[in-house]
Amino acid sequence: MSYGFFASVYDILTENVDYEKIADRIDALFGKEIKEKGSLLDLGCGTGTLSFLLEEKGFDVIGIDKSEDMLSEGFEKKSELGSSVMFICQDLTELDLYGTAASAVCVLDTVNHIDKAEKIYEFFRRVSLFLEMNGLFLLDVNTPFKHRNVLADNTFIYDTGDVYCIWQNSYDKNARRTDIDLDFFVKDGDCYFKESESFSEYEYDIDGIISMLEQNGFTVLNQFDGYGNETPTEKTERMVLLAQKTNLIFEDEIK
């Protein structure tokens, strides 16, 4: 999906996301494993907020997202910041680059937006292909616990003053899918106008995610409960996986 209007208010509605903490954590974890930072793929980069923070950490960042609307917002911020981040519009399951990168990240449940396990497998395969040997890949996944108990059939309200958002979830246990409907009321003078957006997130078992990583040349080095140093529990909502490419795959193996 393109995310349309959602892209224009995405940064406003994610002001509560601690991007600096995520960037600090990535920098710390990668710093333990690699000597030189080099190029980094920010996969599902959205409007580029994390991309710019990682650039400040010394990474040469390539932000990749399939939403032209999200990337358009990113390009505007890039111009304002005088950043050198490169943005590419691609579907992650069709990732195709001219060379390899030293590391990659995929955060904020981007994986959960992929609608089939087969597509996630293909995504991991392409990340492996375009990652240098021993390159690091950090990703996070919303857990089944979060889908069933936090997202569930719940409704959330966000009021930023200029934007009022009603976020309604509908969880389908059999399909293992959470359908998300967003209604935006945006202030325009003394009035508000309404925009709507819909998309879905998909629930995947973490063991299955790890298995697909391993089948595509990765070794999972560690697992965390979110972006701290806590050990995952049965009530973990966001699983963070740190993986390393330890085995080669070949281009002719790609579908």
Side-chain angles (χ1 to χ4, degrees):
M1 63 172 294
S2 65
Y3 289 104
F5 180 80
F6 187 29
S8 68
V9 296
Y10 183 81
D11 288 340
I12 296 174
L13 295 175
T14 56
E15 287 180 346
N16 63 324
V17 176
D18 195 342
Y19 283 102
E20 292 190 359
K21 178 181 179 179
I22 296 173
D24 287 344
R25 183 63 170 157
I26 291 170
D27 191 38
L29 288 172
F30 283 16
K32 292 179 181 179
E33 303 292 339
I34 56 176
K35 295 180 180 179
E36 296 183 6
K37 294 180 177 179
S39 55
L40 178 146
L41 306 177
D42 184 3
L43 302 161
C45 65
T47 64
T49 301
L50 182 63
S51 299
F52 299 126
L53 290 172
L54 291 173
E55 181 185 39
E56 292 177 6
K57 301 286 186 186
F59 293 95
D60 297 322
V61 182
I62 301 172
I64 302 175
D65 202 288
K66 73 175 183 178
S67 169
E68 294 182 6
D69 297 302
M70 288 287 192
L71 292 179
S72 178
E73 298 293 324
F75 273 112
E76 286 191 22
K77 291 194 287 185
K78 174 180 175 176
S79 178
E80 293 171 2
L81 295 169
S83 168
S84 297
V85 169
M86 178 186 296
F87 288 118
I88 299 175
C89 188
Q90 280 189 356
D91 188 315
L92 298 183
T93 63
E94 300 174 358
L95 185 67
D96 190 13
L97 304 175
Y98 289 108
T100 56
S103 57
V105 299
C106 184
V107 307
L108 298 179
D109 47 91
T110 294
V111 169
N112 296 97
H113 286 78
I114 300 176
D115 61 1
K116 294 181 181 178
E118 293 84 355
K119 292 183 180 179
I120 295 177
Y121 182 92
E122 182 65 13
F123 168 45
F124 290 166
R125 203 148 185 78
R126 290 181 176 275
V127 175
S128 183
L129 177 65
F130 294 109
L131 202 61
E132 296 173 5
M133 179 57 71
N134 298 317
L136 297 176
F137 180 29
L138 180 142
L139 66 153
D140 70 36
V141 185
N142 277 344
T143 63
F145 175 84
K146 183 174 181 178
H147 275 266
R148 298 169 189 176
N149 298 279
V150 179
L151 297 178
D153 292 314
N154 290 321
T155 297
F156 304 94
I157 305 295
Y158 300 90
D159 186 357
T160 70
D162 291 327
V163 179
Y164 186 83
C165 175
I166 303 174
W167 181 305
Q168 300 180 81
N169 295 330
S170 178
Y171 176 65
D172 186 325
K173 180 179 180 180
N174 293 326
R176 303 189 71 180
R177 184 187 72 239
T178 301
D179 295 322
I180 299 168
D181 295 312
L182 305 177
D183 289 317
F184 304 100
F185 298 87
V186 183
K187 194 171 184 179
D188 182 14
D190 295 329
C191 302
Y192 284 82
F193 66 89
K194 180 183 177 183
E195 295 281 353
S196 298
E197 202 90 51
S198 297
F199 56 92
S200 299
E201 284 203 14
Y202 299 83
E203 172 192 317
Y204 296 104
D205 294 322
I206 302 303
D207 287 346
I209 295 291
I210 293 173
S211 177
M212 286 189 280
L213 285 167
E214 292 174 343
Q215 291 175 59
N216 286 295
F218 291 101
T219 297
V220 175
L221 303 179
N222 218 328
Q223 305 174 43
F224 303 99
D225 182 345
Y227 284 94
N229 199 36
E230 294 80 11
T231 301
T233 71
E234 61 182 13
K235 292 186 178 181
T236 291
E237 296 180 19
R238 187 186 301 278
M239 183 76 75
V240 173
L241 303 173
L242 177 63
Q244 184 173 39
K245 178 179 173 179
T246 53
N247 292 292
L248 286 172
I249 66 167
F250 300 96
E251 189 170 3
D252 60 5
E253 296 179 34
I254 299 293
K255 298 176 183 177

